[in-house]
Amino acid sequence: MASELRVNTLKDAAGNNSIATSFVAGGAVKAWQHTNVTTLQDSFNISSVTDTATGKLTPNYSSNMVNALYTTTGWCAIQGQIPIASPQDGSFITTSSHRVTTQISGGALADAEYIGSAVSGDLA
């Protein structure tokens, strides 16, 4: 039998530093990933990553988002280059994944050695 805990506020063990549970549920990152080329090194709520093309990687969620109206942020590292990571690639934001596009400073798409992204929004 499942149990349920209903609280409005959380506090530390000393009874200080209170925070509303709505802030914790609404403000926490819902998914993140750290990838070495296309190998998922560590993650939260990411089931896999798909290499869709040069400079394009798609992290797939273990638990879907409620809709495609969420935000992402990202970073990448490309040896010897000044890289740019674009965590949202047009219509490639769905309830089950998002696209990360990596490119060098001149604008050409390029695979990155390391890619990270994080997702904020509501889970389904």
Side-chain angles (χ1 to χ4, degrees), residues 5 8 15 28 32 37-38 41 50 63 72 75 78 82 85 87 93 113 119:
L5 178 63
N8 293 323
W32 62 266
V37 186
T38 58
Q41 292 188 308
T50 305
S63 297
T72 63
W75 65 271
I78 300 175
I82 299 172
I93 305 240
E113 284 91 353
V119 177

Side-chain angles (χ1 to χ4, degrees), residues 6-114:
R6 294 181 183 210
V7 297
N8 293 323
T9 305
L10 299 173
K11 293 186 177 187
D12 64 20
N16 301 314
N17 302 313
S18 66
I19 188 167
T21 55
S22 60
F23 180 81
V24 174
V29 171
K30 302 308 188 298
W32 62 266
Q33 58 89 25
H34 184 276
T35 305
N36 181 345
V37 186
T38 58
T39 302
L40 192 59
Q41 292 188 308
D42 202 359
S43 67
F44 173 73
N45 193 26
I46 301 291
S47 60
S48 63
V49 292
T50 305
D51 182 8
T52 52
T54 298
K56 295 184 178 185
L57 185 77
T58 303
N60 303 293
Y61 309 139
S62 301
S63 297
N64 288 350
M65 302 300 287
V66 71
N67 56 40
L69 302 175
Y70 55 87
T71 62
T72 63
T73 186
W75 65 271
C76 68
I78 300 175
Q79 183 82 20
Q81 299 288 332
I82 299 172
I84 301 168
S86 175
Q88 296 186 355
D89 184 6
S91 63
F92 293 101
I93 305 240
T94 69
T95 58
S96 61
S97 67
H98 69 280
R99 171 86 46 88
V100 179
T101 301
T102 56
Q103 58 191 28
I104 56 176
S105 58
L109 292 175
D111 288 333
E113 284 91 353
Y114 298 100

